[in-house]
Amino acid sequence: MNRYEPLKIEQKWQKIWETEKPFKANEVPNQPKMFLAEMFPYPSGAGLHVGHVRNFTIVDVLTRFYEQQRLNVLRPFGYDTFGLPAENYAIKTGISPQSATKTNIDNFRKQAKKLGFAIDWDREINTSDPEYYKWTQWCFLQLYKKGLAYQKESYQWWCPEDQTVLANEQVENGKCWRCGHEVEKKKMKQWFFKITAYADELLDEIDNLEWPEKIKTMQKNWIGRSVGAEIDFKVTESSLKIKVFTTRPDTIFGATFLVVAPEYPYLDVLTTDDTRETVLNYKAEALKKSEIERQENKEKTGVFTGSYAINPATKEKIPIYVADYVLAGYGTGAIMAVPAYDERDREFAKKFDLPIVEAKLCDRDLFGTPKTIYRMRDWLISRQRYWGCPIPIAYDKEGNPHPIPEDQLPVIIPEVEDYQPDHSGHSALAKAKDWLKVKIEVKDSKTGKTHLEEMTRETDTLDGYACSSWYLWRYASPHDETAAWDQKAIKYWEPIDYYVGADHAVAHLLYIRFWCKFFADEDYLPFREPIKRLLYNGYINAPDGKKMSKSKGNVIDPLDVINDGYGADTLRTYEMFIGPYDMDAAWDPRSVGGVYRFLNRCWTLCFDSEFAKTSSEGHPQLLRGRNEEPREDGRDEHPEEDGFANSLFSRHKTIKKVTEDLHRYNFNTAVAALMEYVNELYKIGASEEDLITLAKLLKPFAPHLASEMLEKLNSDDEWPKWDEKYLIADIVEIVIQINGKLRAKLTVNASDLEDEEKITKLALKDEKIKKYTENDIKKTIFIKKAKLLNIVI
RNA sequence: GGGCGAAUGGCGGAAUUGGUAGACGCGUUGGACUCAAAAUCCAAUGGUAGCGAUACUGUGAGGGUUCGAUUCCCUCUUCGCCCACCA
């Protein structure tokens, strides 16, 4: 007798898919397309984890579901390979990031192939491949040309451990998102992308996205639009004016003092001889304070600067303070304090004994000019790291930046011996002395003549998020040597229909929207939102409910699950069955066994001669068919054997349920419906049509087993359709309630559902109901749709 | 402190528009097969009482709306995630 041997079957089909490339995507005009992808992984040395498998399998289930419906499906794959882990590994071991990345990609690819994903492997992309980052640099230059990539000196988050600056969203609770070291503020000249130029559109378009509400809210909060006004306060005995931003310009009569941030550029001017020492001390302390300290101690601190300003509404002289509860990077870095209306100002006023005036409100734009500002800052993109996409810029002798001409791209990352950053704030790229020098053609502004000038390359690299801000478009024409993306391919495939991930709620998903809008403005993209639908899947935790981690030793390796003999089909199906896709779930090894048993039962139905009593006529073991006549009185002697055990009904019910569940991404209940179907087929027997239907519906989850079944059954895999006529029963069960409580069930002809009176009569004749209805019946409520009669007594 | 979400058997979870709570899986118990075990198959399985039909009870707690509430409203508790001095 044959046994279900998943590893054998899976090897067979993976080989077939490798050679026949059935998932290769081509543009077919007039055929509807479907483009799906997961957020491409960072290929770590540890290989795939169960979270990847969940993420990729969701994409794969949808890919195969639409493929089986004969849409033209594109499902590519790629690797997000720049980043600190590979560089830190290089510093430690001397193995180059280039080489480690190649090893890791090879491993990831091998593992992904073991899972049987329907990937077009000819479209693989890798962000650290010069063929790819050439075009990342091209993107940078387009932004640079339009003034949306610019340099600015400012205080930045600096990770002393990783020796690099960090973007705001890479600082988590005052710590570096990569190494967990406390970050500091450091004043540096850095490159930025002007994402704030698109703040309004990025915010306004959110409501139209088919994205989870959670993500949409987070993006809205991140952008954080505030509508208010800017008001000038004249400083006494000085020509200086302090510009403040407020959302409540109507409260200006209550403004009894001003507060500026410790980083405020004109703080020096505001200090007097008397206050200089205390102010400078305070500033030094504030800058030294880590973000954690600022968060932990919310007690207001500050000192008087020694200067006063005139409140333009009251004409009163009010003191100017410096305090770290005012943030340098938001608004103008200075506020008018209205302690009567603002809790923080009140707290400060109480502590420093400043007047709290309950003044009248005035017209909003009486003393200032209307102004809208955003919480979102421009995107800091320089990283003082080696393993990133080099910024295509060089500096002349005066230190002015010049773009590397497009025909000189890519700026290749040079090989170095030592990957350690020096402690001057430069990446290891600064050690590649030959690479640093570059000759660039410049035009003399006076003579108009051009000459080659030797310049020094930028040694900062781009934030990895830049590389992932356009890769979805590269998927459309991944090997195009003449452009970042081909216009025809873009028009056909994009924007992506389903994007699936479990991370990057704000950063990546905001940056890619920003680039999309920019490139749409430059006529490189025919759409302004890159992602139609976003599915955000939950994490998989260890069996103990805690996060999996090497140090806790509770990591489940998906490859172990396969190699233990369960196979990829069980692993995939289990991860879909584990719970709602968007919720976190805990791994349960025993449930894996349950899913294996289910697939084993599918196999047995199809291949075990004991069970494979198939016939083209179908229904060999009907318990009691729907085609049987019901009894005269509508009662059923054997309600437990009611015609649910009917082949056509079961089949069409299952097709409907699985199809609708997949449209709703209810993968767990779709698998449950298949289990139910198999259980029913065990009872009533399976016709060939049943087995074909089962295999087709199973294929998105367990493609190897389903392919094996379809091969034996000599069937294609086209997604089946259900017919409502088989779902209409001639006998139905009516629930009889007394005061909303279930008391009895009646089985009647379906046509009787139209006859409320008849059903009420039948119900009142029922022995179980009779004992409740001796007294008067107040009323009866019949709900046809719910097949329910409620008798109120 | 603010925002969002969640709470259902021994466990993971289902219930799609306010209409039979607990689908499906795990676990447990009993049975079949076997010299035996594994595997497989069949059956039972929210709790309490009862041999049983059945009755009562039951979706975090309390209240409300309704013929009827896991579902809607109010108050509270706990947990999770995100943001956190944003003027």
Side-chain angles (χ1 to χ4, degrees):
Chain A
M1 187 186 99
N2 287 336
R3 277 183 53 233
Y4 173 44
E5 289 178 277
L7 299 190
K8 228 167 110 185
I9 295 175
E10 289 170 11
Q11 217 177 16
K12 168 185 163 184
W13 287 98
Q14 283 164 20
K15 224 179 199 167
I16 290 172
W17 296 334
E18 182 81 35
T19 48
E20 293 182 4
K21 297 189 176 183
F23 313 120
K24 193 166 171 49
N26 295 300
E27 289 127 58
V28 183
N30 304 323
Q31 190 189 356
K33 64 93 184 181
M34 177 59 65
F35 172 23
L36 317 94
E38 56 281 292
M39 291 181 186
F40 65 166
Y42 178 84
S44 74
L48 289 183
H49 55 70
V50 290
H52 287 122
V53 174
R54 189 183 203 187
N55 184 216
F56 300 172
T57 303
I58 290 169
V59 177
D60 209 59
V61 167
L62 292 173
T63 298
R64 290 177 179 276
F65 176 53
Y66 287 112
E67 208 281 322
Q68 288 180 257
Q69 291 175 68
R70 304 301 179 241
L71 268 68
N72 191 18
V73 174
L74 168 59
R75 195 274 170 103
F77 200 70
Y79 310 94
D80 185 19
T81 48
F82 279 131
L84 279 172
E87 182 168 342
N88 289 340
Y89 183 72
I91 291 168
K92 224 165 74 186
T93 63
I95 296 169
S96 75
Q98 286 85 341
S99 140
T101 298
K102 190 183 175 307
T103 308
N104 290 349
I105 286 180
D106 289 346
N107 186 39
F108 254 63
R109 185 191 301 112
K110 204 177 93 199
Q111 297 192 344
K113 285 190 176 178
K114 278 201 153 186
L115 282 149
F117 294 135
I119 289 169
D120 177 358
W121 287 104
D122 291 342
R123 290 183 188 247
E124 214 179 15
I125 59 175
N126 161 14
T127 56
S128 63
D129 181 345
E131 286 303 307
Y132 181 90
Y133 69 67
K134 171 182 179 176
W135 297 108
T136 306
Q137 292 169 345
W138 177 85
C139 290
F140 174 92
L141 291 179
Q142 307 315 305
L143 285 151
Y144 180 80
K145 266 194 248 170
K146 296 288 163 163
L148 293 179
Y150 69 96
Q151 276 182 301
K152 183 174 76 177
E153 183 154 55
S154 65
Y155 287 94
Q156 291 309 329
W157 295 119
W158 171 262
C159 174
E161 176 69 27
D162 288 335
Q163 294 273 315
T164 184
V165 296
L166 298 166
N168 275 330
E169 41 285 54
Q170 291 167 340
V171 177
E172 293 168 353
N173 293 322
K175 291 180 178 170
C176 171
W177 69 322
R178 281 292 174 240
C179 69
H181 199 283
E182 278 194 25
V183 298
E184 301 167 351
K185 277 256 168 110
K186 194 168 175 176
K187 196 171 189 175
M188 300 179 80
K189 195 167 191 181
Q190 298 288 315
W191 285 97
F192 291 85
F193 284 145
K194 201 168 184 177
I195 189 172
T196 51
Y198 287 93
D200 273 319
E201 194 189 339
L202 286 168
L203 185 65
D204 294 339
E205 287 292 318
I206 289 175
D207 281 330
N208 303 324
L209 298 173
E210 282 182 58
W211 287 21
E213 284 306 316
K214 190 177 80 176
I215 311 288
K216 287 166 51 160
T217 308
M218 280 167 74
Q219 292 217 348
K220 281 182 195 171
N221 292 342
W222 184 263
I223 297 168
R225 179 158 58 196
S226 283
V227 178
E230 279 183 350
I231 302 172
D232 285 332
F233 283 70
K234 206 188 159 323
V235 179
T236 59
E237 293 160 39
S238 160
S239 58
L240 189 64
K241 278 180 188 165
I242 293 181
K243 198 183 274 300
V244 305
F245 174 81
T246 176
T247 53
R248 295 293 307 275
D250 52 328
T251 64
I252 190 167
F253 281 92
T256 53
F257 57 102
L258 296 187
V259 189
V260 300
E263 297 93 340
Y264 194 67
Y266 305 109
L267 185 58
D268 278 355
V269 186
L270 295 172
T271 54
T272 61
D273 291 343
D274 291 349
T275 62
R276 187 147 291 128
E277 202 184 326
T278 51
V279 169
L280 286 179
N281 279 343
Y282 181 77
K283 178 179 174 174
E285 281 295 311
L287 290 183
K288 210 171 71 189
K289 255 200 232 174
S290 71
E291 188 70 357
I292 292 192
E293 285 170 312
R294 281 203 191 187
Q295 276 169 14
E296 274 171 2
N297 186 7
K298 291 216 173 149
E299 174 135 359
K300 297 282 175 290
T301 60
V303 294
F304 177 48
T305 60
S307 294
Y308 293 85
I310 302 296
N311 180 327
T314 62
K315 310 291 180 209
E316 271 171 37
K317 195 169 142 187
I318 58 173
I320 304 170
Y321 277 73
V322 55
D324 67 1
Y325 84 92
V326 174
L327 307 175
Y330 186 71
T332 60
I335 61 156
M336 64 175 204
V338 187
Y341 289 96
D342 187 283
E343 211 175 304
R344 294 153 303 183
D345 296 345
R346 183 157 53 243
E347 205 186 310
F348 192 85
K350 277 184 179 160
K351 180 157 178 186
F352 293 92
D353 209 17
L354 293 156
I356 300 169
V357 181
E358 298 273 345
K360 62 172 183 183
L361 296 179
C362 68
D363 192 7
R364 283 181 69 92
D365 37 10
L366 207 53
F367 297 98
T369 47
K371 173 93 178 171
T372 299
I373 64 164
Y374 303 89
R375 261 186 45 145
M376 180 173 67
R377 318 288 158 81
D378 278 341
W379 171 14
L380 169 61
I381 47 160
S382 337
R383 295 291 179 277
Q384 289 68 44
R385 301 302 306 195
Y386 168 82
W387 190 232
C389 173
I391 295 177
I393 289 286
Y395 298 95
D396 61 25
K397 290 183 187 69
E398 285 78 45
N400 298 313
H402 295 261
I404 305 290
E406 284 180 23
D407 58 12
Q408 289 179 36
L409 299 182
V411 176
I412 301 264
I413 304 165
E415 303 262 344
V416 295
E417 304 240 311
D418 174 13
Y419 300 94
Q420 188 77 42
D422 61 20
H423 287 261
S424 63
H426 292 289
S427 74
L429 288 176
K431 296 174 183 174
K433 296 294 178 206
D434 294 340
W435 175 85
L436 278 178
K437 289 180 200 144
V438 60
K439 285 197 170 117
I440 289 181
E441 201 168 75
V442 288
K443 206 176 188 178
D444 192 299
S445 55
K446 284 173 195 159
T447 63
K449 283 183 185 164
T450 59
H451 67 282
L452 283 177
E453 191 178 320
E454 187 171 278
M455 301 196 189
T456 310
R457 288 188 192 275
E458 171 66 81
T459 57
D460 284 358
T461 53
L462 283 171
D463 178 5
Y465 278 128
C467 306
S468 55
S469 289
W470 67 281
Y471 80 106
L472 292 179
W473 311 320
R474 187 66 180 172
Y475 275 147
S477 54
H479 308 300
D480 193 332
E481 288 173 7
T482 62
W485 52 83
D486 176 72
Q487 287 303 321
K488 240 178 77 190
I490 280 279
K491 222 174 197 148
Y492 182 76
W493 291 115
E494 314 261 353
I496 193 169
D497 297 279
Y498 285 100
Y499 193 40
V500 186
D503 207 348
H504 311 300
V506 173
H508 164 58
L509 289 169
L510 197 60
Y511 298 152
I512 195 168
R513 295 182 61 221
F514 157 46
W515 279 35
C516 180
K517 291 174 193 309
F518 170 72
F519 284 110
D521 281 343
E522 298 298 304
D523 287 332
Y524 283 111
L525 291 177
F527 48 86
R528 299 191 73 81
E529 282 292 344
I531 299 155
K532 274 192 193 167
R533 288 183 212 87
L534 174 73
L535 303 187
Y536 208 70
N537 63 275
Y539 288 109
I540 293 183
N541 294 323
D544 57 13
K546 296 190 178 108
K547 284 232 174 332
M548 286 190 195
S549 79
K550 255 191 239 161
S551 58
K552 281 187 223 135
N554 58 3
V555 176
I556 304 284
D557 185 337
L559 271 294
D560 285 350
V561 179
I562 295 177
N563 295 330
D564 282 353
Y566 285 120
D569 282 338
T570 293
L571 175 64
R572 297 165 52 115
T573 309
Y574 169 65
E575 292 211 22
M576 292 300 95
F577 184 62
I578 195 168
Y581 82 95
D582 55 348
M583 305 279 270
D584 289 354
W587 188 270
D588 179 0
R590 288 194 292 208
S591 278
V592 178
V595 170
Y596 177 80
R597 277 193 277 282
F598 158 63
L599 293 182
N600 199 10
R601 280 159 77 84
C602 293
W603 189 91
T604 303
L605 274 179
C606 191
F607 291 98
D608 188 334
S609 53
E610 281 282 306
F611 280 84
K613 304 171 192 160
T614 59
S615 81
S616 53
E617 298 295 312
H619 342 184
Q621 285 183 30
L622 278 189
L623 292 181
R624 178 184 180 282
R626 242 150 232 282
N627 22 16
E628 260 180 55
E629 285 298 310
R631 280 172 42 155
E632 291 275 296
D633 59 359
R635 301 276 295 280
D636 194 329
E637 285 176 298
H638 307 288
E640 72 278 3
E641 288 177 6
D642 185 23
F644 289 102
N646 176 295
S647 174
L648 282 169
F649 178 78
S650 281
R651 188 191 310 152
H652 286 262
K653 177 191 74 179
T654 308
I655 297 170
K656 182 178 184 180
K657 172 77 176 153
V658 173
T659 306
E660 290 182 348
D661 273 353
L662 287 182
H663 279 299
R664 287 185 295 249
Y665 328 120
N666 291 341
F667 307 108
N668 56 330
T669 52
V671 174
L674 289 171
M675 290 172 165
E676 214 175 330
Y677 186 35
V678 167
N679 292 344
E680 282 165 17
L681 293 179
Y682 260 68
K683 288 199 180 81
I684 66 177
S687 69
E688 194 171 305
E689 198 51 42
D690 284 319
L691 294 177
I692 289 172
T693 304
L694 173 65
K696 286 175 169 180
L697 297 177
L698 185 65
K699 198 176 180 194
F701 301 96
H704 310 88
L705 171 60
S707 297
E708 189 73 13
M709 290 169 72
L710 288 168
E711 187 184 53
K712 186 201 169 185
L713 297 161
N714 196 21
S715 166
D716 63 28
D717 68 354
E718 187 163 359
W719 196 256
K721 293 188 169 69
W722 76 90
D723 189 333
E724 286 286 342
K725 82 175 174 213
Y726 297 117
L727 301 179
I728 301 163
D730 3 299
I731 316 165
V732 295
E733 193 173 62
I734 306 255
V735 168
I736 313 297
Q737 296 181 332
I738 304 287
N739 289 347
K741 269 188 187 165
L742 172 68
R743 292 300 178 190
K745 288 179 182 177
L746 293 181
T747 307
V748 300
N749 288 328
S751 55
D752 291 343
L753 273 176
E754 304 301 324
D755 192 347
E756 183 180 340
E757 213 170 298
K758 183 174 174 189
I759 286 167
T760 311
K761 261 187 208 160
L762 279 172
L764 293 173
K765 269 198 283 178
D766 190 280
E767 288 303 321
K768 290 174 200 155
I769 298 300
K770 265 185 190 167
K771 52 184 173 179
Y772 294 100
T773 52
E774 284 162 4
N775 299 323
D776 283 347
I777 295 166
K778 287 202 185 107
K779 62 172 166 175
T780 60
I781 291 148
F782 181 64
I783 311 291
K784 195 170 102 188
K785 215 182 150 212
K787 291 179 224 146
L788 174 146
L789 178 74
N790 190 11
I791 301 166
V792 186
I793 53 169

